[in-house]
Amino acid sequence: MRTYHTLIMVYATVMTFSALYAPQPLQPILMSEFGVSKEQAALLTTVTMIPLGIAPIVYGYMLESFSSKKLFSIGIGALALLQLAFFFTDNFHLLIVIRFFVGMAIPAVLTSIMTYISTVTKRETVQKQMAYYISSTILGGFAGRFFSGLIASYFGWRWTFLILAFSLSLAFVLIRSLHEAEIQISKFSVRSVLDVLKKRQFATIYLLIFATFFTFAAILNFIPFRVREISAGSSSFTIGIMYMGYIMGIVMSLNALRIIKIFGGEMNTVFTALVFYACTLFLFTYPSLYVMFFGMFLFCCGMFLAHSVASGYVNKIAEDKKGITNGLYVSFYYGGGTFGSFLPGFVYSRFGWNAFLLLIGSVVSVSIAAAWFMQERRKISA
C-alpha cells in the first residue's frame, strides 16, 4: 500500500472515531440543556454502539462480493451528513435517532478499512498496517473527546459537529483516489459465520475483545459524571483533558511488534496486557482527579496493546472469509461497548462508583480466565 493511500485511510479513520466519541465529554452539558437524566445522556453513546455490535457481520458478508472502497465511501458520506443533522437538531429524542444512524454508518467504514488492509497488504506486513490503523483509531478517539470539550468550552457544543461534517466531507473526496481492492467472492450463508466462530483461536480473541471494550466503554462513558462528582465545577475542557491517557494507545500500537517479541507471541502479549489492564482499575477507586488522570494512561496502555495485537493476529491467521472475520471482530468489540456504555450505569447510580468498578473488573477478569482455559484446551487438542 502506498504511503499516500495509508495517510488517506488514517485521516478517514481519525475523523470516523472523532464522530463516534465527540458527544462523550458533552454529556453533562446535554443533560442540563435538554433536562434529561445521566442514563439518558449516556444513550447518545449507547445507541451508536448497538448497530456497531450487529451491522459489521452484515457488512462483512457484503465485502465478500462488494467493493470495500465503495462501502468505505458510502459510510464516510453518510457520517458527514449525519453530523450536519446533529448540528441543526433541537430535539433530544431526534439526537438519539441520529446517533443510531451514525452507529449504522461507522461499521461500514471500519469493516471496509480492515478488509481493505488485509486484502491489499502482504501477510508478513499485515500486523504493521493494522498497527497504523489502530493508532489512527486511538488518535481519533482522543481527538473527538478532547476537541469537542475544547470547542464546547469556547464556542458551544454544536460547533463540534459542524466541524466534523466538513472534515468528513474532505475524507469522502480523498477516498476516491484509493485503488479498488481485489474481491474474494464466497457464498452468503450463516454457516460461514459459524465456521469462523468454531475455530477456538477466533472464539478466544472475540471473547477477550468483547470483555475488554465492555470495561473500556464503561470507564470512558461514565468518567465525565465521576469528574463532576469529585469536582462539581469541572468544565467540559477539564473533562476532555481526562482522556489524554488515550494517546498512550498510539505508543502501544506502534510498538506492538517489539512487545510481541518480548512476550514470545501474540496471545501471550494479549493475556499479559489484559491482566495489567484489570489491575489498573484499582487506581480509579481513589477520589482524586490527579490519580484518575494518571490511571487513564496506564489503563489505556493495557487496553490498546491488547486491541492492536488481537486485531492484527486475527488478520494474520485468517486465510479466507476475511470480510466475515473482520466483521465478527468489530461486532464483538462494539457489542461489548454497547453493554459497557449503558448497563454499568445502573450499578453506578444505585450503588456508587466503587460497585461500578467491581462489576466491570469482574467481567474482564472472568473473561481472561475463560479465554485462558479455552487457549490451553486448544493446545492440548493440537
Side-chain angles (χ1 to χ4, degrees):
M1 192 186 303
R2 293 180 180 176
T3 302
Y4 175 64
H5 293 158
T6 300
L7 290 174
I8 291 173
M9 300 189 76
V10 166
Y11 174 73
T13 304
V14 168
M15 298 321 304
T16 299
F17 273 80
S18 294
L20 174 59
Y21 292 119
Q24 271 190 343
L26 308 178
Q27 287 173 174
I29 292 176
L30 297 171
M31 182 175 69
S32 299
E33 180 166 330
F34 291 98
V36 296
S37 67
K38 183 189 304 180
E39 289 78 16
Q40 287 175 308
L43 279 173
L44 288 168
T45 299
T46 303
V47 296
T48 311
M49 296 289 185
I50 292 171
L52 276 165
I54 301 169
I57 300 175
V58 178
Y59 293 137
Y61 272 128
M62 291 173 63
L63 287 168
E64 296 297 318
S65 55
F66 190 80
S67 165
S68 55
K69 176 185 172 181
K70 186 177 293 184
L71 189 60
F72 192 7
S73 298
I74 292 170
I76 287 288
L79 274 179
L81 293 173
L82 288 164
Q83 304 315 302
L84 197 60
F86 204 94
F87 172 79
F88 286 112
T89 301
D90 290 317
N91 184 288
F92 184 78
H93 297 292
L94 188 53
L95 291 180
I96 293 291
V97 173
I98 292 169
R99 288 292 293 174
F100 177 81
F101 283 106
V102 167
M104 290 295 294
I106 286 175
V109 176
L110 304 187
T111 310
S112 297
I113 290 174
M114 292 180 73
T115 303
Y116 187 90
I117 291 171
S118 64
T119 303
V120 304
T121 307
K122 294 179 181 178
R123 181 185 176 93
E124 59 270 20
T125 60
V126 70
Q127 183 71 262
K128 181 180 179 181
Q129 288 296 328
M130 287 305 298
Y132 290 142
Y133 164 69
I134 297 300
S135 296
S136 58
T137 69
I138 296 163
L139 181 58
F142 168 70
R145 294 175 172 105
F146 178 79
F147 287 108
S148 67
L150 179 63
I151 293 167
S153 294
Y154 290 99
F155 304 104
W157 65 268
R158 291 184 184 276
W159 282 91
T160 296
F161 300 95
L162 183 62
I163 293 169
L164 278 171
F166 282 109
S167 300
L168 286 161
S169 297
L170 175 60
F172 178 80
V173 173
L174 293 173
I175 289 169
R176 295 173 64 86
S177 66
L178 291 176
H179 295 307
E180 291 285 357
E182 179 184 352
I183 298 171
Q184 298 177 339
I185 298 175
S186 61
K187 188 178 179 181
F188 182 95
S189 69
V190 175
R191 185 176 181 82
S192 299
V193 173
L194 297 177
D195 286 343
V196 174
L197 290 175
K198 282 192 294 186
K199 296 179 181 179
R200 199 164 288 169
Q201 285 174 294
F202 291 119
T204 302
I205 293 168
Y206 293 152
L207 169 64
L208 288 174
I209 211 62
F210 177 93
T212 300
F213 202 55
F214 176 95
T215 303
F216 195 71
I219 288 288
L220 271 66
N221 209 35
F222 290 98
I223 205 168
F225 302 107
R226 179 58 174 169
V227 169
R228 286 283 173 91
E229 273 187 9
I230 295 172
S231 177
S234 298
S235 66
S236 297
F237 181 58
T238 301
I239 293 171
I241 288 175
M242 292 303 296
Y243 293 105
M244 284 194 71
Y246 219 80
I247 61 176
M248 289 305 297
I250 299 174
V251 177
M252 291 294 102
S253 59
L254 292 180
N255 288 280
L257 291 174
R258 295 186 183 91
I259 298 172
I260 288 169
K261 290 179 181 178
I262 293 172
F263 289 108
E266 285 91 347
M267 289 309 298
N268 287 343
T269 305
V270 171
F271 280 115
T272 303
L274 290 181
V275 170
F276 175 80
Y277 177 65
C279 290
T280 62
L281 290 174
F282 287 104
L283 292 171
F284 292 94
T285 61
Y286 292 90
S288 165
L289 295 185
Y290 296 105
V291 174
M292 189 179 296
F293 178 79
F294 173 71
M296 283 291 288
F297 281 84
L298 299 181
F299 181 70
C300 290
C301 281
M303 155 64 188
F304 286 112
L305 177 58
H307 179 30
S308 59
V309 174
S311 60
Y313 185 57
V314 161
N315 279 282
K316 181 180 178 181
I317 63 177
E319 297 179 358
D320 56 6
K321 301 183 177 70
K322 292 184 178 181
I324 295 169
T325 301
N326 283 302
L328 282 168
Y329 184 91
V330 176
S331 289
F332 274 90
Y333 184 80
Y334 286 106
T338 300
F339 291 106
S341 66
F342 189 65
L343 291 180
F346 292 106
V347 175
Y348 181 18
S349 295
R350 186 168 182 180
F351 301 106
W353 179 254
N354 286 339
F356 165 88
L357 292 174
L358 179 62
L359 169 66
I360 61 176
S362 298
V363 168
V364 72
S365 298
V366 169
S367 298
I368 291 169
W372 181 264
F373 176 73
M374 289 168 65
Q375 183 77 359
E376 290 303 304
R377 284 195 62 189
R378 187 186 71 81
K379 290 179 181 177
I380 292 170
S381 298

